[in-house]
Amino acid sequence: AFAETLGLEKPYSEKEMKSAYRKLIAQYHPDRVSAMGSEIKELAEAKTKEINEAYDFFRNKFEEDRQPSSFP
C-alpha cells in the first residue's frame, strides 16, 4: 500500500522513492491549496499525512538495508 501511495512499482530504488515523495508532497502540500477553501485543504492535509507515512516507511526500510547485519 505504501508503494501505491507514492506511485512506485517494483523494483524501486531509494532515489526513485525520494523523487516520487518530493513530487507528491509538492502537489498535495496544504499551503499550496489553502486558497481553494477549507474542505480542499483538509483533503490535502490527509493526503500529505498518507504520503509522509509512506515516505517514513521506505526511509526506515532503506536505512535498515544499509545497516550491516549482526549475523554472520
Side-chain angles (χ1 to χ4, degrees), residues 33-47:
V33 298
S34 61
M36 295 180 181
S38 62
E39 187 176 328
I40 299 296
K41 186 175 180 180
E42 287 175 22
L43 291 171
E45 287 171 349
K47 186 68 174 176

Side-chain angles (χ1 to χ4, degrees), residues 12-50:
Y12 39 81
S13 67
E14 186 172 7
K15 184 177 179 179
E16 291 169 318
M17 181 272 300
K18 285 182 179 182
S19 176
Y21 168 77
R22 288 184 188 117
K23 180 180 174 183
L24 288 170
I25 208 68
Q27 181 179 353
Y28 287 102
H29 197 281
D31 290 346
R32 279 195 80 154
V33 298
S34 61
M36 295 180 181
S38 62
E39 187 176 328
I40 299 296
K41 186 175 180 180
E42 287 175 22
L43 291 171
E45 287 171 349
K47 186 68 174 176
T48 299
K49 184 177 178 181
E50 271 182 52

Side-chain angles (χ1 to χ4, degrees), residues 1-2 4 7 9-10 14 18 34 39-40 43-44 47 50 53 55 57 60 63 69-70:
F2 289 127
E4 285 179 17
E9 293 181 18
K10 285 186 178 182
E14 186 172 7
K18 285 182 179 182
S34 61
E39 187 176 328
I40 299 296
L43 291 171
K47 186 68 174 176
E50 271 182 52
E53 287 174 1
Y55 177 74
F57 170 82
N60 290 334
E63 217 171 87
S69 177
S70 59

Side-chain angles (χ1 to χ4, degrees), residues 50-67:
E50 271 182 52
I51 294 166
N52 282 326
E53 287 174 1
Y55 177 74
D56 288 342
F57 170 82
F58 283 112
R59 189 183 65 202
N60 290 334
K61 181 183 181 314
F62 284 115
E63 217 171 87
E64 289 172 7
D65 290 348
R66 283 194 300 269
Q67 297 295 324

